[in-house]
Amino acid sequence: MPLTRWLAEYAWLPEHAEPTPDVLIEAEDGRITAVTPLVGDGAPAAGVEVLREAVRLPGLTLPGLANAHSHAFHRALRGRTHGGRGDFWSWRDVMYTVAARLDPDSYLALARAAYAEMALAGITCVGEFHYLHHGPGGTPYADPNAMSAALVEAAAHAGIRITLLDTAYLAAGVDGAPLTGPQRRFGDGDALRWAERVSGFTPEDDHARVGAAIHSVRAVPAEQLATVAGWADRQGRPLHVHLSEQPAENDACRAVHGCTPTRLLADHGALGRHTTAVHATHPTSADLTLLGDSRTGICLCPTTERDLADGIGPARRMAEAGSPLSLGSDSHAVVDLFEEARAVELDERLRTRRRGHFTAAELVTAATVAGHAALGWEDAGRLSVGDRADLVTVRLDSARTAGVPPVGTFFAATAADVTHVVVDGRTVVAEGRHLTVDVPAELSAAIEELTRP
């Protein structure tokens, strides 16, 4: 890949509390080779020819955003589950009806469009929490990883990277009840057979990596948690887990095991710096200490957590305990990492009735470098030499961002303000348009197919 140059009107550089004006960014073979501020004391003068060759990026240029928690097939539920009463458990019943209708071809079509929507929103890497493994009734496809392969292919078509978090989903409750109905498509029988299947999935594409997930302590029996965690540890892969999303989960775990889900995971070796706990909405003080001391990350999904009436987790206390924070769109009720980021601060204000918990730089970190690290891409999420050339440019002249100082972008912009997206040095979105996928048309077609009576 030849040398490419971009001239950012503003760029958010590592270790800077606010954006830097007039920054020349150069990349070759998908890696950033130079980052040069062109104004200020000691700034070098760029040659006229160099500046003429550079692609100009009006607005604020950020590192690529990382969506650390996605269920791609949930995109088909948007607008269909939000009205009326109900809770997480009633929503889940509707979700199962979509899960029952998917096959590798229809999942490829839906995920391709869903991931392209993410690209339009500035997301350059997704963590797909994948548990829809098998055919109807739980019968494996001829290729037992056909659904995983569809997701990896979908990400390639959309132009983004993916960490396929292959999820162990083995039981219907903390008491080990067997899977029934659509849930049977999720299960491999036991953790050893899960590990055998996932070990056979080795995508060769550079845009894809495979990690592991424990769906929750509801879905993996306690005696099998260590098998899943051990597989991830031996392979050097990230491990993710839904944790304490609902008070009912905590209550059930205490009733069966006499401890919280966090304590159960700790006792079976499932916490640590390569683990990310998703949601952690209802932790105890002791849970926060276990998570922080082990440097277990926390992925917050505020738009889903409020859509499902889950509650508001103690984000500031999590960060202060030592847990890195990342962000996810989860059910895709909204695909907008700007909204997820500012919600971390705004929801904390609701919870505490005080303002000013997170700086803009902390929110940028959660949306970029911390999310990539949670997905095993340690070389992404920064505009710095040697890192992946992922650039996301946000316009500063829209009705939402006009008059807003660049440092305030995460409190004003939406996904609709993204104009230019580069992934590994390749332009995927230009002038707000995906270069290869007609996102609205493909979303409409894929979802109509799945939801047709």
Side-chain angles (χ1 to χ4, degrees):
M1 192 181 299
L3 176 68
T4 306
R5 297 183 175 94
W6 300 271
L7 181 58
E9 181 181 5
Y10 292 93
W12 209 311
L13 304 182
E15 312 303 329
H16 288 231
E18 57 184 62
T20 301
D22 296 325
V23 178
L24 181 66
I25 303 169
E26 300 174 87
E28 192 167 9
D29 296 327
R31 298 277 175 172
I32 296 173
T33 56
V35 179
T36 309
L38 299 180
V39 299
D41 295 339
V48 173
E49 190 62 29
V50 168
L51 294 181
R52 184 181 295 120
E53 293 176 357
V55 176
R56 296 186 179 269
L57 300 176
L60 170 63
T61 296
L62 300 155
L65 308 180
N67 184 358
H69 189 68
S70 161
H71 302 290
F73 75 93
H74 291 188
R75 177 59 180 84
L77 300 174
R78 186 185 296 176
R80 289 176 164 80
T81 63
H82 309 302
R85 292 189 176 273
D87 57 13
F88 169 85
W89 309 102
S90 58
W91 169 88
R92 189 179 70 162
D93 290 339
V94 179
M95 179 266 286
Y96 285 162
T97 64
V98 173
R101 302 187 70 168
L102 284 160
D103 60 28
D105 290 337
S106 59
Y107 207 2
L108 171 60
L110 176 60
R112 165 187 158 101
Y115 293 156
E117 180 187 7
M118 292 183 199
L120 286 175
I123 292 164
T124 58
C125 185
V126 61
E128 183 61 36
F129 200 98
H130 170 54
Y131 52 81
L132 185 50
H133 301 305
H134 304 300
T139 303
Y141 292 103
D143 172 2
N145 290 298
M147 296 293 257
S148 299
L151 291 166
V152 168
E153 183 179 350
H157 290 180
I160 67 174
R161 292 190 302 276
I162 184 171
T163 296
L164 195 288
L165 296 162
D166 195 292
T167 304
Y169 196 129
L170 309 171
V174 178
D175 59 359
L179 300 175
T180 61
Q183 288 180 326
R184 288 182 291 181
R185 300 191 69 178
F186 309 159
D188 290 294
D190 58 38
L192 289 175
R193 280 179 280 182
W194 167 84
E196 181 180 6
R197 180 185 54 74
V198 69
S199 295
F201 185 59
T202 54
E204 297 179 355
D205 301 301
D206 291 341
H207 79 289
R209 294 179 180 175
V210 177
I214 293 166
H215 178 274
S216 60
V217 300
R218 291 181 284 111
V220 178
E223 67 275 10
Q224 299 186 55
L225 293 170
T227 300
V228 182
W231 183 91
D233 184 58
R234 289 190 301 276
Q235 301 286 333
R237 311 289 179 86
L239 173 68
H240 287 221
V241 55
H242 289 134
L243 181 64
S244 293
E245 183 176 3
Q246 287 288 321
E249 176 184 309
N250 292 355
D251 294 342
C253 192
R254 287 191 182 98
V256 174
H257 299 293
C259 64
T260 66
T262 302
R263 177 78 262 177
L264 190 67
L265 292 171
D267 289 347
H268 289 84
L271 301 185
R273 66 185 187 90
H274 295 300
T275 298
T276 297
V278 182
H279 303 304
T281 307
H282 303 281
T284 66
S285 293
D287 291 342
L288 292 176
T289 298
L290 286 170
L291 294 166
D293 286 354
S294 63
R295 297 298 182 263
T296 297
I298 307 290
C299 179
L300 301 171
C301 307
T303 63
T304 293
E305 289 151 8
R306 69 192 183 204
D307 179 50
L308 299 182
D310 287 345
I312 299 171
R316 187 69 253 174
R317 289 180 63 197
M318 293 170 179
E320 290 174 350
S323 291
L325 302 183
S326 57
L327 302 169
S329 66
D330 193 359
S331 69
H332 310 318
V334 175
V335 173
D336 189 335
L337 266 288
F338 300 96
E339 174 63 21
E340 305 292 351
R342 63 174 159 264
V344 172
E345 165 66 24
L346 299 179
D347 286 359
E348 189 75 353
R349 294 180 185 185
L350 288 175
R351 194 181 66 82
T352 64
R353 290 181 292 176
R354 289 187 295 106
R355 305 178 76 205
H357 300 274
F358 292 91
T359 67
E362 286 177 304
L363 299 179
V364 171
T365 295
T368 58
V369 64
H372 283 98
L375 298 176
W377 303 86
E378 302 283 352
D379 56 352
R382 291 172 298 262
L383 298 179
S384 60
V385 173
D387 279 359
R388 292 174 178 271
D390 295 350
L391 287 70
V392 174
T393 302
V394 181
R395 60 185 299 185
L396 298 176
D397 60 354
S398 74
R400 292 163 294 279
T401 59
V404 175
V407 73
T409 300
F410 267 76
F411 286 95
T414 73
D417 295 312
V418 172
T419 59
H420 203 90
V421 179
V422 174
V423 184
D424 287 328
R426 297 182 178 87
T427 300
V428 176
V429 173
E431 301 300 326
R433 182 178 61 86
H434 198 287
L435 297 186
T436 59
V437 178
D438 184 339
V439 179
E442 293 198 17
L443 280 171
S444 295
I447 294 170
E448 180 182 359
E449 181 67 24
L450 286 173
T451 57
R452 182 181 295 128

